[in-house]
Amino acid sequence: MKYAILGGSFNPIHMGHLFLADTALSAFGYDRIILVPAYSSPFKLGAQGASPKDRLDMLIASIPADPRLTIDDGEIRREGVSYTIDTIKDIRERYRPEGKPGLILGDDLARDFHKWRSADEIVSLTDIIIARRLSVEDLPFPYPHKRLKNEIVELSSGNVRDRIGSGEAWSYLVPPGARFIIEDRSLYGLAKKPDTAITRERIADIENTVRTMISPSRFLHSRNVALLTQDLCIRYGDPYGACLGMDPAAGYLAGIAHDMCKSLPEAELFRLTQMDGKSVSKLERKKPTLLHARAAAVLLKERFGIHNKDILEAVRLHTMADTEMSPLAKAVFIADKIEVSREHVSAGLRDNGSFDDLDTLFAAVLNETVAYLRSRKLSLSKGTLRLLEVMKGTRTSGQSAAGSGGGF
Ligand SMILES: [Fe+2]
Ligand SMILES: [Fe+2]
């Protein structure tokens, strides 16, 4: 396979990067461009605003389903200052490219290329491609190279950062996945969106929309989940002190919204899921309907303007439990499995008022759910398996998961 390398800080990745990669692919017949985010570029030490992880996450979220692009995190994993020659050798070793890999350099870097560590060796190991960033004239470059006759896009990461910091328009200068992460993590000085109060009117608006998105029986299930989650918030919430974040209205909203993407086509589920910046697991790829939970969290945020982290997490995790779950997420998980219209619920869980605390009830519900899935030979998510491991390790013999149908 013929590769070309495009390195940079990608702080953040923007449309100019993708346009450049796209142009190089079609101009020189490469099969794939390897995007290499720098841990800390030797020429941009101290670049502020986003951590290496943020920058890597933005890259990953920006190129879904494009097989012509890939990301290599070798420099970030190595940490410290990486020199281009080290990266080239590493990539040649691991990717085994057909012929010399291309190395795309902007003409802004060409002038000082002779100062780079092992410049001559870089020239001998790669096909250097000089891309236009500063000038449509061919700036002098005294080494063998090819010229990419790309159009200059007046866009830089610094420009995007400045715009975000100063409140100017920037959203469409970066790919949607990167935008989502910038907003979600308030990068580059972006002000957090104020979360307006979750009023009953606002919930009613969302509920009315959800009703049009799913079947009547699915809607009744959602309403039952909303009511039971609200009840659990009242029962296990603030009076116990340990369960902060269990606001009954938030519980109702999470419950009403948790399955709103259940009837969406798979392509739409994948499209929405891309926006949360997380990768799609093997299990999710095998069973895309599982993505309805993540898609609902994205939609709740993007379309309905809900930014409450507890609510979004509760919706996102309702199909697949994980080790880090807030009390609200546990409440929605419980309600989704045992609300009154659910079948296969043991008498012990139907009569759940006897559980003293949320964690014990959660353990019992998880236990019974896992037993049921296993009896039907259905796969468990990695998150669920991790959680089972943690619970196995921390349970004492006195903690019985009352009403459960199976053991950990
Ligand atoms: Fe669901
Ligand atoms: Fe559900």
Side-chain angles (χ1 to χ4, degrees):
M1 189 174 276
K2 290 174 71 183
Y3 289 102
I5 300 165
L6 176 59
S9 294
F10 299 105
N11 189 21
I13 183 172
H14 55 70
M15 289 307 195
H17 292 127
L18 295 181
F19 180 61
L20 177 61
D22 203 9
T23 309
L25 277 162
S26 50
F28 299 117
Y30 289 108
D31 299 302
R32 192 164 287 166
I33 303 266
I34 306 172
L35 305 173
V36 183
Y39 176 73
S40 186
S41 160
F43 297 100
K44 285 187 183 172
L45 281 173
Q48 294 297 314
S51 68
K53 181 181 181 307
D54 289 328
R55 291 186 286 114
L56 182 60
D57 286 347
M58 285 191 276
L59 273 171
I60 293 168
S62 295
I63 57 162
D66 190 340
R68 304 167 311 151
L69 300 175
T70 191
I71 297 159
D72 191 275
D73 66 349
E75 293 197 3
I76 286 181
R77 277 190 283 111
R78 281 203 294 277
E79 300 193 348
V81 175
S82 281
Y83 290 95
T84 302
I85 185 64
D86 301 331
T87 299
I88 291 165
K89 286 179 178 170
D90 179 38
I91 281 179
R92 274 167 50 101
E93 176 64 27
R94 288 188 289 115
Y95 289 72
R96 305 278 166 167
E98 179 190 328
K100 284 184 185 180
L103 178 67
I104 304 168
L105 300 177
D107 58 10
D108 52 330
L109 298 176
R111 197 180 51 192
D112 288 332
F113 179 78
H114 65 282
K115 294 182 191 166
W116 288 22
R117 178 174 287 192
S118 311
D120 289 325
E121 199 179 1
I122 293 176
V123 172
S124 71
L125 293 179
T126 63
D127 284 330
I128 292 190
I129 298 162
I130 302 293
R132 295 164 170 168
R133 283 203 67 186
L134 300 177
S135 169
V136 289
E137 305 293 327
D138 289 348
L139 299 178
F141 187 70
Y143 297 93
H145 64 279
K146 299 174 189 169
R147 293 271 174 185
L148 183 63
K149 305 286 184 195
N150 59 301
E151 282 181 51
I152 296 177
V153 178
E154 294 282 343
L155 183 59
S156 69
S157 296
N159 180 235
V160 174
R161 293 199 301 272
D162 289 346
R163 285 176 157 275
I164 295 172
S166 59
E168 289 174 83
W170 62 274
S171 301
Y172 291 102
L173 301 178
V174 302
R179 176 168 67 91
F180 183 85
I181 289 172
I182 291 169
E183 289 176 345
D184 194 45
R185 302 180 191 178
S186 300
L187 300 179
Y188 309 118
L190 182 70
K192 276 231 177 286
K193 280 187 188 165
D195 204 12
T196 43
I198 300 161
T199 59
R200 281 287 158 194
E201 291 73 27
R202 205 158 161 226
I203 295 174
D205 272 352
I206 295 173
E207 180 167 332
N208 280 330
T209 307
V210 170
R211 196 165 36 77
T212 65
M213 296 171 68
I214 49 182
S215 68
S217 59
R218 176 64 55 183
F219 178 73
L220 283 181
H221 158 71
S222 298
R223 193 137 201 298
N224 289 336
V225 173
L227 290 171
L228 181 51
T229 306
Q230 180 178 268
D231 293 346
L232 292 171
C233 286
I234 293 167
R235 194 195 303 164
Y236 298 121
D238 290 343
Y240 287 86
C243 289
L244 296 171
M246 292 191 79
D247 171 43
Y252 186 93
L253 176 55
I256 210 73
H258 83 288
D259 270 349
M260 69 177 162
C261 292
K262 195 83 183 179
S263 300
L264 293 183
E266 284 183 5
E268 186 64 4
L269 291 179
F270 277 110
R271 191 189 71 78
L272 285 168
T273 303
Q274 278 162 19
M275 295 171 73
D276 70 11
K278 295 177 175 55
S279 56
V280 174
S281 71
K282 236 184 190 167
L283 179 60
E284 288 169 329
R285 212 163 300 139
K286 200 170 125 197
K287 210 176 164 212
T289 52
L290 288 171
L291 294 172
H292 75 269
R294 286 172 58 184
V298 169
L299 210 56
L300 203 51
K301 184 176 176 195
E302 293 294 299
R303 182 165 164 193
F304 297 104
I306 299 296
H307 294 273
N308 179 310
K309 283 213 155 36
D310 286 330
I311 295 177
L312 297 178
E313 187 209 85
V315 170
R316 182 168 59 79
L317 290 180
H318 86 264
T319 50
M320 303 206 247
D322 209 336
T323 46
E324 301 286 319
M325 289 174 81
S326 66
L328 194 71
K330 287 177 183 169
V332 172
F333 185 90
I334 293 166
D336 186 35
K337 307 299 174 289
I338 66 169
E339 58 88 4
V340 288
S341 72
R342 284 288 203 200
E343 292 170 3
H344 313 290
V345 177
S346 66
L349 288 183
R350 290 246 183 255
D351 189 18
N352 53 72
S354 59
F355 285 82
D356 288 337
D357 63 80
L358 183 75
D359 284 341
T360 316
L361 175 57
F362 176 69
V365 170
L366 183 71
N367 213 3
E368 190 164 300
T369 304
V370 166
Y372 174 71
L373 290 173
R374 282 186 170 148
S375 75
R376 297 193 54 191
K377 305 223 174 332
L378 295 168
S379 310
L380 299 176
S381 74
K382 276 190 180 151
T384 307
L385 291 170
R386 268 198 304 270
L387 180 59
L388 290 174
E389 274 306 303
V390 169
M391 294 176 90
K392 203 197 296 180
T394 55
R395 266 182 77 206
T396 63
S397 53
Q399 278 179 291
S400 77
S404 65
F408 289 126

